[in-house]
Amino acid sequence: VWYMDGYHNNRFVREYKSMHDFMTSDNFTSHRLPHPWSGTGQVVYNGSIYFNKFQSHVIIKFDFRTSSISKSRQLDYAGFNNAYHYAWGGHSDIDLMVDEGGLWAVYATNQNAGNIVISKLNPNTLQIIKSWTTNHPKRSAGESFMICGTLYVTNGYSGGTKVYYAYSTNSSTYEYIDIPLQNKYSHISMLDYNPHDRALYAWNNGHQVLYNVTLFHVIRSEEL
């Protein structure tokens, strides 16, 4: 478990060996990043942490094993420094996430009128493999997460919350859905999917909350 305090101008990451250690705040290793981060969209993947450098559209890959930057690259045209944050604010312009297919960046650009852009990234070079432009304004999204190549967006971050928009990168199509999301502590400021345990991890007003996810395969008529 990796824990990062705050959403800007901090550079220390705590690494806990187990969920129990995290819950009891025992036995952690502290890593000092070379630059502070922005937002809550950081992600750990294959031994490295990927984060948005504070007050920039630069993505950094930091290797925990060598305690050094292994790659950095600008995410061209991506808004930053609260230009296109999620509805709750918090410098959340660039959201990095991992699903079964690899590493993704979710952000917005002037060119797409502030609407969400989804980019698949090469985890080694940080180059964009492919991008998709959506019609969903990023500043009106509560949070979002990727599962199996589909971006799911919540309608808010406080009070009654639901997952109501989904964009499939596999088909380049979107739909409106209605999946209630229990918002027990009334302020979600981080929401990400972990493909290893098929759970959503949320930071909810000072509480770490996990939502188990069940994936269903839709059988189409041509498969029968």
Side-chain angles (χ1 to χ4, degrees):
V1 179
W2 290 269
Y3 169 76
M4 304 171 76
D5 187 20
Y7 53 79
H8 74 291
N9 211 22
N10 192 357
R11 60 177 69 190
F12 287 95
V13 183
R14 289 185 181 183
E15 179 182 346
Y16 296 89
K17 296 301 182 184
S18 68
M19 184 61 75
H20 178 268
D21 285 349
F22 171 67
M23 293 172 66
T24 58
S25 297
D26 291 333
N27 304 322
F28 65 85
T29 301
S30 184
H31 303 275
R32 187 180 187 274
L33 301 178
H35 304 285
W37 65 78
S38 274
T40 57
Q42 309 86 8
V43 68
V44 175
Y45 184 50
N46 290 340
S48 295
I49 185 167
Y50 298 79
F51 68 97
N52 174 209
K53 182 182 176 183
F54 184 53
Q55 293 185 327
S56 77
H57 56 185
V58 173
I59 304 301
I60 292 177
K61 177 185 180 183
F62 180 83
D63 191 325
F64 284 132
R65 289 162 291 202
T66 62
S67 296
S68 63
I69 295 175
S70 53
K71 198 67 184 177
S72 66
R73 184 179 296 274
Q74 286 189 357
L75 191 59
D76 290 341
Y77 308 113
F80 63 95
N81 202 27
N82 274 331
Y84 294 121
H85 54 71
Y86 286 128
W88 65 274
H91 296 261
S92 55
D93 304 74
I94 298 173
D95 196 356
L96 301 169
M97 49 191 76
V98 168
D99 71 351
E100 293 81 358
L103 180 66
W104 302 83
V106 173
Y107 54 100
T109 65
N110 288 335
Q111 290 78 359
N112 196 38
N115 294 327
I116 290 175
V117 176
I118 306 167
S119 290
K120 183 76 178 293
L121 303 182
N122 181 310
N124 298 316
T125 66
L126 300 182
Q127 287 181 311
I128 294 175
I129 299 171
K130 187 176 179 179
S131 290
W132 294 260
T133 55
T134 79
N135 62 349
H136 193 291
K138 186 164 186 298
R139 292 182 69 141
S140 68
E143 270 286 344
S144 67
F145 54 91
M146 295 287 298
I147 300 180
C148 295
T150 295
L151 180 74
Y152 295 91
V153 180
T154 70
N155 66 333
Y157 63 93
S158 61
T161 305
K162 65 180 179 179
V163 182
Y164 84 119
Y165 178 92
Y167 186 95
S168 169
T169 61
N170 298 315
S171 61
S172 298
T173 59
Y174 71 92
E175 62 177 331
Y176 288 96
I177 56 179
D178 190 354
I179 303 174
L181 184 69
Q182 185 183 27
N183 190 355
K184 187 175 181 179
Y185 303 106
S186 301
H187 192 290
I188 296 175
S189 57
M190 187 278 289
L191 186 62
D192 268 320
Y193 174 67
N194 185 332
H196 290 292
D197 54 15
R198 290 189 173 179
L200 288 173
Y201 284 71
W203 195 252
N204 195 334
N205 203 11
H207 300 81
Q208 175 72 76
V209 180
L210 270 68
Y211 303 89
N212 291 322
V213 175
T214 302
L215 303 178
F216 292 94
H217 173 62
V218 177
I219 300 176
R220 294 179 171 83
S221 57
E222 61 266 23
E223 298 178 14
L224 297 177

Coordinates of all heavy atoms in Angstrom, one line a residue, residues 169-199:
T169 N -13.1 2.7 -25.0 CA -12.0 3.0 -26.0 C -12.0 1.9 -27.0 O -11.4 2.0 -28.1 CB -10.6 3.1 -25.3 OG1 -10.3 1.9 -24.7 CG2 -10.6 4.2 -24.3
N170 N -12.6 0.7 -26.7 CA -12.6 -0.4 -27.7 C -13.5 -0.1 -28.8 O -13.2 -0.5 -30.0 CB -13.0 -1.7 -26.9 CG -12.0 -2.1 -25.8 OD1 -10.8 -2.1 -26.0 ND2 -12.6 -2.4 -24.7
S171 N -14.6 0.6 -28.6 CA -15.5 0.9 -29.7 C -15.6 2.3 -30.0 O -16.4 2.7 -30.9 CB -16.9 0.3 -29.3 OG -17.4 1.0 -28.1
S172 N -14.9 3.2 -29.2 CA -15.0 4.7 -29.4 C -16.4 5.2 -29.3 O -16.8 6.0 -30.1 CB -14.3 5.1 -30.7 OG -13.0 4.7 -30.7
T173 N -17.2 4.6 -28.3 CA -18.6 5.0 -28.1 C -18.8 5.3 -26.6 O -18.0 4.8 -25.8 CB -19.5 3.9 -28.6 OG1 -19.3 2.7 -27.8 CG2 -19.4 3.7 -30.1
Y174 N -19.9 6.1 -26.3 CA -20.2 6.4 -24.9 C -21.6 6.0 -24.7 O -22.4 5.9 -25.6 CB -19.9 7.8 -24.6 CG -20.8 8.8 -25.2 CD1 -22.0 9.2 -24.6 CD2 -20.6 9.3 -26.5 CE1 -22.9 10.1 -25.1 CE2 -21.5 10.2 -27.1 CZ -22.6 10.6 -26.4 OH -23.5 11.5 -27.0
E175 N -22.0 5.9 -23.4 CA -23.4 5.7 -23.0 C -23.6 6.3 -21.6 O -22.6 6.4 -20.8 CB -23.8 4.2 -23.0 CG -23.0 3.3 -22.1 CD -23.4 1.9 -22.1 OE1 -24.6 1.7 -22.4 OE2 -22.6 1.0 -21.8
Y176 N -24.8 6.6 -21.3 CA -25.2 7.0 -19.9 C -25.7 5.8 -19.2 O -26.5 5.1 -19.7 CB -26.2 8.2 -20.0 CG -25.5 9.5 -20.5 CD1 -25.7 9.8 -21.8 CD2 -24.8 10.3 -19.6 CE1 -25.1 11.0 -22.3 CE2 -24.3 11.5 -20.1 CZ -24.4 11.8 -21.4 OH -23.8 13.0 -21.9
I177 N -25.2 5.7 -18.0 CA -25.6 4.5 -17.1 C -26.0 5.0 -15.8 O -26.0 6.2 -15.5 CB -24.4 3.5 -17.0 CG1 -23.1 4.3 -16.4 CG2 -24.0 2.9 -18.3 CD1 -21.9 3.4 -16.2
D178 N -26.4 4.1 -14.9 CA -26.9 4.5 -13.6 C -26.5 3.4 -12.6 O -27.2 2.5 -12.3 CB -28.4 4.6 -13.6 CG -29.0 5.3 -12.4 OD1 -28.2 5.5 -11.4 OD2 -30.2 5.5 -12.3
I179 N -25.3 3.6 -12.0 CA -24.8 2.7 -11.0 C -24.6 3.4 -9.7 O -23.6 4.3 -9.6 CB -23.5 2.0 -11.4 CG1 -23.7 1.3 -12.8 CG2 -23.0 1.0 -10.4 CD1 -22.4 0.8 -13.4
P180 N -25.4 3.2 -8.6 CA -25.2 4.0 -7.4 C -23.8 3.6 -6.8 O -23.3 2.5 -6.8 CB -26.3 3.4 -6.5 CG -27.3 2.9 -7.4 CD -26.5 2.3 -8.6
L181 N -23.2 4.7 -6.2 CA -21.9 4.5 -5.5 C -22.0 5.1 -4.1 O -22.2 6.3 -3.9 CB -20.8 5.3 -6.3 CG -19.4 5.1 -5.8 CD1 -18.8 3.7 -6.0 CD2 -18.5 6.2 -6.5
Q182 N -22.0 4.2 -3.1 CA -22.1 4.6 -1.7 C -21.0 5.6 -1.3 O -19.8 5.3 -1.4 CB -22.1 3.5 -0.8 CG -22.4 3.9 0.7 CD -22.3 2.7 1.6 OE1 -21.6 1.7 1.4 NE2 -23.1 2.8 2.7
N183 N -21.4 6.8 -1.0 CA -20.5 7.9 -0.6 C -20.6 8.2 0.9 O -21.2 9.2 1.3 CB -20.8 9.1 -1.4 CG -19.8 10.2 -1.3 OD1 -18.8 10.1 -0.5 ND2 -20.0 11.3 -2.0
K184 N -20.1 7.2 1.7 CA -20.4 7.2 3.1 C -19.9 8.4 3.9 O -20.6 8.9 4.8 CB -19.8 5.9 3.7 CG -20.1 5.7 5.2 CD -19.6 4.4 5.7 CE -19.9 4.1 7.1 NZ -19.4 2.8 7.6
Y185 N -18.8 9.0 3.4 CA -18.2 10.1 4.2 C -18.3 11.4 3.4 O -17.7 12.4 3.8 CB -16.8 9.8 4.5 CG -16.6 8.5 5.4 CD1 -16.1 7.3 4.8 CD2 -17.0 8.5 6.7 CE1 -16.0 6.2 5.5 CE2 -16.9 7.3 7.4 CZ -16.4 6.1 6.8 OH -16.3 5.0 7.6
S186 N -19.0 11.4 2.3 CA -19.5 12.6 1.6 C -18.5 13.5 0.9 O -18.8 14.6 0.5 CB -20.3 13.5 2.6 OG -21.4 12.8 3.2
H187 N -17.3 13.0 0.7 CA -16.3 13.8 -0.1 C -15.3 12.9 -0.7 O -14.3 12.5 -0.1 CB -15.7 14.9 0.7 CG -15.0 15.9 -0.1 ND1 -13.8 15.6 -0.8 CD2 -15.2 17.2 -0.4 CE1 -13.3 16.7 -1.4 NE2 -14.2 17.6 -1.2
I188 N -15.5 12.5 -2.0 CA -14.5 11.6 -2.7 C -13.5 12.4 -3.4 O -13.9 13.2 -4.3 CB -15.2 10.6 -3.6 CG1 -16.2 9.7 -2.8 CG2 -14.2 9.8 -4.4 CD1 -17.0 8.8 -3.7
S189 N -12.2 12.2 -3.1 CA -11.2 13.0 -3.8 C -10.2 12.1 -4.5 O -9.2 12.6 -5.0 CB -10.4 13.9 -2.8 OG -9.9 13.1 -1.7
M190 N -10.4 10.8 -4.5 CA -9.6 9.9 -5.3 C -10.4 8.6 -5.5 O -11.0 8.1 -4.6 CB -8.3 9.5 -4.5 CG -7.3 8.7 -5.4 SD -7.6 6.9 -5.4 CE -7.2 6.5 -3.7
L191 N -10.4 8.1 -6.7 CA -11.2 6.9 -7.0 C -10.4 6.2 -8.2 O -10.3 6.7 -9.3 CB -12.6 7.2 -7.4 CG -13.6 6.1 -7.7 CD1 -13.8 5.3 -6.4 CD2 -14.9 6.6 -8.2
D192 N -9.9 5.0 -7.9 CA -9.2 4.3 -8.9 C -9.4 2.8 -8.8 O -9.6 2.2 -7.7 CB -7.6 4.5 -8.8 CG -7.2 5.7 -9.7 OD1 -7.7 5.8 -10.8 OD2 -6.4 6.5 -9.2
Y193 N -9.3 2.1 -9.9 CA -9.5 0.7 -10.0 C -8.2 -0.1 -9.9 O -7.2 0.4 -10.5 CB -10.2 0.3 -11.3 CG -10.4 -1.1 -11.6 CD1 -11.2 -1.9 -10.9 CD2 -9.7 -1.7 -12.7 CE1 -11.4 -3.3 -11.2 CE2 -9.8 -3.0 -13.1 CZ -10.7 -3.8 -12.3 OH -10.9 -5.1 -12.6
N194 N -8.2 -1.2 -9.1 CA -7.0 -2.0 -9.0 C -7.3 -3.3 -9.7 O -8.1 -4.1 -9.2 CB -6.6 -2.3 -7.6 CG -5.3 -3.0 -7.4 OD1 -4.9 -3.8 -8.3 ND2 -4.6 -2.8 -6.3
P195 N -6.7 -3.6 -10.9 CA -7.0 -4.8 -11.6 C -6.6 -6.1 -11.0 O -7.1 -7.2 -11.3 CB -6.3 -4.6 -13.0 CG -5.2 -3.7 -12.7 CD -5.7 -2.8 -11.6
H196 N -5.6 -6.0 -10.0 CA -5.2 -7.2 -9.3 C -6.2 -7.8 -8.4 O -6.4 -9.0 -8.3 CB -3.9 -6.9 -8.6 CG -2.7 -6.7 -9.4 ND1 -2.1 -7.7 -10.2 CD2 -2.0 -5.6 -9.7 CE1 -1.1 -7.2 -10.9 NE2 -1.0 -5.9 -10.6
D197 N -6.9 -7.0 -7.7 CA -7.9 -7.5 -6.7 C -9.3 -7.1 -7.1 O -10.3 -7.3 -6.4 CB -7.6 -7.0 -5.3 CG -7.5 -5.5 -5.2 OD1 -7.8 -4.8 -6.1 OD2 -7.0 -5.1 -4.1
R198 N -9.5 -6.5 -8.3 CA -10.8 -6.1 -8.9 C -11.6 -5.3 -7.8 O -12.7 -5.6 -7.5 CB -11.5 -7.3 -9.4 CG -10.9 -7.9 -10.6 CD -11.8 -8.9 -11.3 NE -11.3 -9.3 -12.6 CZ -11.8 -10.3 -13.3 NH1 -12.9 -10.9 -12.9 NH2 -11.3 -10.6 -14.5
A199 N -11.0 -4.2 -7.4 CA -11.6 -3.3 -6.4 C -11.3 -1.9 -6.7 O -10.3 -1.6 -7.3 CB -11.1 -3.7 -5.0

